[in-house]
Amino acid sequence: MIDAAPRLPDGLVAVVKRDCPTCVLVAPVLGQIAAGGRALTVYSQDDPEFPAEVAPRVDDHELVMSWHHHIQTVPTLLRVENGAEVARTEGWSRTEWEQLAGVHPLGAGLPPHRPGCGSRSVDPALADALRARFEGDRLRARRIELGEIEDEFETAFDRGWTDGLPVVPPTPARVLRMLDGTRRAPDEIVAVVPPDLVPITVEKVAINAVMAGCKPEYLPVVLAAVSAACTDTFNMHGLLCTTYFSGPVVIVNGPIAARIGMNSGINCLGQGNRANATIGRALQLVVRNVGGGLPGGIDRATLGNPGKYTFCFAEDEAGSPWEPLSVERGFAAGTSTVSLFAGHGPSSIVDQISRTPESLVRTFAAKLRATHHPKLVMGMGAVLVISPEHARVFAAAGWSKARLHRELDALLAIDGAALARGADGIEEGVPAALAAGRKLPKFRPGDLAIVHAGGSAGMFSAIIEGWVSGDRGSQLTTQEVIS
Amino acid sequence: VTITLLDPTGERRPTERPRAPRPQALAGQVVALLDISKPRGDVFLDRLAALVAARGATVRRYTKPTFTKPAPADLRRQIAQDCHAVIEALAD
C-alpha cells in the first residue's frame, strides 16, 4: 500500500528538494553527517539524484512520507527513535542542526541561518489531490467514476441531483475541504431526513453543501439547518407534501452570521450574497437528494415559490433596537443559532408617512390581517421583517419588542362577524359557530415572529407568510450552531 | 482524465415486500375509513361509510391528528390489526 503512512527509519531523517536553494546549500552538510557515520536517511521530493553527497537517497516524489509526517518546509531535519519523531528543525540553522545531529561543528563556511522553502506536500497546486489520495478513506459515500467524455455538470442534471441550476461537482477533494468547516466526525448522524426517513451523516451534508456552492465555514450553519428541518416540530415531511406555497426559510442569528459574511442589510432577502444563497440551497439539496423530496413526487405544491431554491438571511442585530429572535426564543445573547420557518414571500409593507408607532403599528396590522386570507385566522403564522427606517420609529418612542407584540395582538383581535363564512360576500371564512359573538386573534400565541433586517434606506418592511402553524403543522424551530 | 464524484443521495436500497392480498368482495370484511383531518373529509367518508356498509362490510372510523404529518405508528398498527382494508380520505 503506497498510500499508507510509512514508518520513519531510526536515526536522522532529512527531507529536501533540489528546487530549494537552502537544500542545495545544506547538501554538503548532509554529506558531512553521512561521512561521519551517523545513521542518516535523506528523502528527496523532486529529484531522486539529489543530493549527490548522500547515497542512497529515498525517492519521495509521490510525497507519501512528506504528507504523512506533515513536512511543511524543506529542508527539514528529524531525529527518530524507535520509529517516533523526537526532534525536528526546519530550514538551516547551524546551532539547531548541530544540536539535533549531535555533530560539531557543522557546515563550516555556511551562513549561520537560512530559511527553507515550502515542502511540495503543502504546495497549493498539489495539496487537494494529495488529501483526496491520502485521506479519502475518511469518506464513505459511493464513488461515481465519470467516463472521459462525460461532462460533470451535465451528469449532475442527468442523475437528478440538482434544483434546476448547475451544481459544483462533489469531488472527494472538495468534500474533504468542506469537512474542514466542522470538528464533527464525517460519519456522525445529523438527522433522519424525510420523506424517505434516511439517516444523514455529516459527510452527506458536506457533499450537498459543496454542490450548493458553500464555503467550508458555512457548514456548521448548514448542519444546524438540516437538523432543525428534520424535527417533529418543524415537520419537513408535511411541508414538502403540501399543495401550499411554503418552503423552509432559514434565519441566522449570532456572531457566526458576520463571521461568514452573511447579509442582513441591503437586499438581504434577495440575491448576491454567497452565504445567504448557498446555505438555503444546501438545505433544499439535502431534502431533495437524501430525503427524496422531489417536486411532482412527494412535493405536491400547486404553485410553489422561488424561495424553494433558497431562502436564507441573517437578522441585523447590530442595528436593531430590540433583542434578536434567538434571545426571544430562549438562547443566550451571543449564541449562534439557526431558526427555521415554514414560509414564503416576502410580501411588502409600504408606509412612508407614519412617524409615530401608533400609526405605523396600524399599517403593520392591516397588512398582517390580510395574510393568507383576510377572513382566515388562528391557523397560520408569519414572520414580520422590520427594516431599520421602520424600527427607528418604534425605538424613538421607546417601544420594546414585547410592547410591539402586545399592540399588534390588540389590533389583530378581529370581530367574528367579519370573519364568518359568507361575510363580505365571500364564502371563505371561519365557520359561523366559531365566529359568532366574539373576537378571534389573527395569530395564535407564538405564531407571529419579529426580526430586524434590511438596508438603512426605505420605509418598507416585509411579511414572510407561513404555512399551517402549531402542532398541527410547522412551528418555528431554533437550534444552536455547533462548530 | 476521469473525474470521481461522491454520491449525494441517500443511497437507499429499498426492500421489496409483497402486497397484502386484496379482498375479492366487501361482504364480511372490516373496512377502516381514515379521516386525515382535512376540511370536509367527513363529507366524503360519511358517504363512503354508507356505500361500504350497504355492501355488507363493517365500517370502523379512524382519524389522523393532523393532515400535515404521517399517521402515527400506533394508529397504523391498530388499523392493520383490526381491519381487512383501509380507505384514506383526502378532501378540501
Side-chain angles (χ1 to χ4, degrees):
Chain A
M1 274 281 288
I2 187 170
D3 294 351
R7 183 184 160 93
L8 288 169
D10 283 347
L12 297 171
V13 172
V15 187
V16 297
K17 66 179 185 187
R18 182 188 283 281
D19 188 33
C20 166
T22 308
C23 294
V24 173
L25 183 79
V26 302
V29 180
L30 294 169
Q32 182 191 344
I33 293 171
R38 301 295 307 267
L40 170 68
T41 311
V42 178
Y43 289 82
S44 180
Q45 290 186 338
D46 57 353
D47 179 358
E49 302 303 316
F50 174 78
E53 290 83 347
V54 181
R57 298 158 294 260
V58 182
D59 178 5
D60 195 39
H61 81 276
E62 299 225 27
L63 303 168
V64 180
M65 182 275 174
S66 298
W67 171 270
H68 285 289
H69 294 286
H70 312 290
I71 304 301
Q72 306 285 320
T73 300
V74 287
T76 287
L77 185 65
L78 309 175
R79 193 168 69 240
V80 178
E81 294 172 4
N82 301 318
E85 175 185 334
V86 294
R88 170 181 298 222
T89 180
E90 294 177 332
W92 160 250
S93 155
R94 177 181 292 110
T95 52
E96 289 191 21
W97 277 55
E98 284 175 346
Q99 190 179 5
L100 195 146
V103 179
H104 303 265
L106 264 183
L110 265 54
H113 300 283
R114 185 63 64 86
C117 310
S119 166
R120 286 186 69 234
S121 54
V122 295
D123 180 341
L126 302 174
D128 277 350
L130 290 172
R131 229 180 138 189
R133 177 176 162 193
F134 295 128
E135 292 186 18
D137 59 358
R138 291 172 68 208
L139 301 172
R140 292 281 176 269
R142 187 169 69 107
R143 284 167 187 256
I144 297 164
E145 308 284 341
L146 302 190
E148 298 221 1
I149 58 167
E150 261 186 294
D151 181 286
E152 66 268 39
F153 292 91
E154 291 298 333
T155 203
F157 284 109
D158 294 343
R159 290 169 188 266
W161 294 346
T162 95
D163 50 13
L165 294 170
V167 291
V168 176
T171 59
R174 292 194 177 110
V175 173
L176 283 166
R177 209 158 57 216
M178 181 62 63
L179 287 165
D180 283 345
T182 180
R183 283 194 288 269
R184 298 167 73 172
D187 60 354
E188 181 188 334
I189 301 289
V190 178
V192 176
V193 190
D196 290 349
L197 300 178
V198 178
I200 185 171
T201 58
V202 170
E203 176 186 343
K204 282 286 182 190
V205 176
I207 293 170
N208 283 277
V210 165
M211 291 166 67
C214 292
K215 294 167 95 171
E217 54 263 42
Y218 309 166
L219 183 61
V221 183
V222 178
L223 288 166
V226 168
S227 172
C230 300
T231 55
D232 188 56
T233 55
F234 185 71
N235 189 14
M236 188 66 226
H237 179 102
L239 183 59
L240 263 178
C241 302
T242 182
T243 46
Y244 201 60
F245 302 85
S246 298
V249 179
V250 182
I251 305 169
V252 179
N253 279 108
I256 197 162
R259 204 156 64 226
I260 65 176
M262 290 193 72
N263 184 11
S264 62
I266 292 175
N267 198 46
C268 64
L269 305 187
Q271 86 289 11
N273 176 278
R274 182 173 176 179
N276 290 29
T278 61
I279 291 168
R281 189 186 189 203
L283 171 61
Q284 286 283 16
L285 288 178
V286 162
V287 170
R288 176 190 180 91
N289 287 327
V290 180
L294 301 180
I298 288 289
D299 184 341
R300 307 303 296 178
T302 309
L303 289 164
N305 86 86
K308 288 168 83 172
Y309 283 103
T310 177
F311 197 160
C312 173
F313 66 103
E315 178 162 15
D316 170 26
E317 299 181 17
S320 174
W322 299 309
E323 69 277 21
L325 179 67
S326 53
V327 171
E328 260 192 296
R329 298 186 54 73
F331 290 83
T335 304
S336 293
T337 64
V338 160
S339 293
L340 256 68
F341 180 72
H344 60 277
S347 60
S348 61
I349 303 176
V350 178
D351 187 333
Q352 301 180 300
I353 303 298
S354 292
R355 292 295 186 274
T356 64
E358 292 80 8
S359 172
L360 190 53
V361 75
R362 280 174 169 72
T363 291
F364 285 2
K367 283 286 306 214
L368 283 164
R369 180 178 166 170
T371 54
H372 314 102
H373 190 290
K375 290 178 58 191
L376 290 178
V377 297
M378 298 170 63
M380 293 178 165
V383 175
L384 178 57
V385 185
I386 301 183
S387 68
E389 282 207 307
H390 275 164
R392 73 180 181 184
V393 172
F394 298 104
W399 279 33
S400 65
K401 204 185 211 184
R403 173 152 185 208
L404 179 57
H405 270 295
R406 282 199 307 276
E407 302 277 353
L408 283 170
D409 286 347
L411 291 166
L412 288 168
I414 305 166
D415 265 333
L419 301 172
R421 289 180 183 169
D424 274 341
I426 300 171
E427 292 169 19
E428 181 62 276
V430 175
L434 183 64
R438 56 177 170 151
K439 290 191 166 191
L440 295 173
K442 176 72 181 181
F443 300 105
R444 289 180 300 180
D447 280 357
L448 177 65
I450 297 176
V451 299
H452 180 267
S456 59
M459 297 195 72
F460 310 125
S461 288
I463 297 168
I464 301 170
E465 295 193 21
W467 179 55
V468 180
S469 60
D471 56 8
R472 288 177 55 239
S474 178
Q475 300 166 56
L476 184 63
T477 300
T478 304
Q479 291 203 357
E480 184 173 350
V481 175
I482 302 162
S483 57
Chain B
V1 180
T2 59
I3 292 176
T4 301
L5 300 181
L6 295 174
D7 187 343
T9 73
E11 300 185 40
R12 289 202 315 152
R13 291 180 186 79
T15 48
E16 283 198 24
R17 288 175 297 182
R19 298 169 72 179
R22 310 287 99 173
Q24 297 306 304
L26 284 172
Q29 303 283 323
V30 180
V31 177
L33 299 183
L34 176 60
D35 188 333
I36 71 163
S37 295
K38 268 248 168 186
R40 292 161 47 84
D42 55 341
V43 176
F44 175 53
L45 286 176
D46 288 349
R47 180 72 183 130
L48 267 183
L51 291 170
V52 170
R55 284 163 175 73
T58 304
V59 173
R60 293 196 186 200
R61 303 286 288 261
Y62 301 88
T63 304
K64 266 171 56 166
T66 170
F67 60 88
T68 73
K69 296 182 183 180
D74 286 349
L75 178 61
R76 297 201 302 265
R77 194 175 305 115
Q78 194 189 347
I79 291 172
Q81 186 180 301
D82 296 350
C83 307
H84 299 109
V86 59
I87 301 173
E88 192 166 344
L90 268 173
D92 253 331

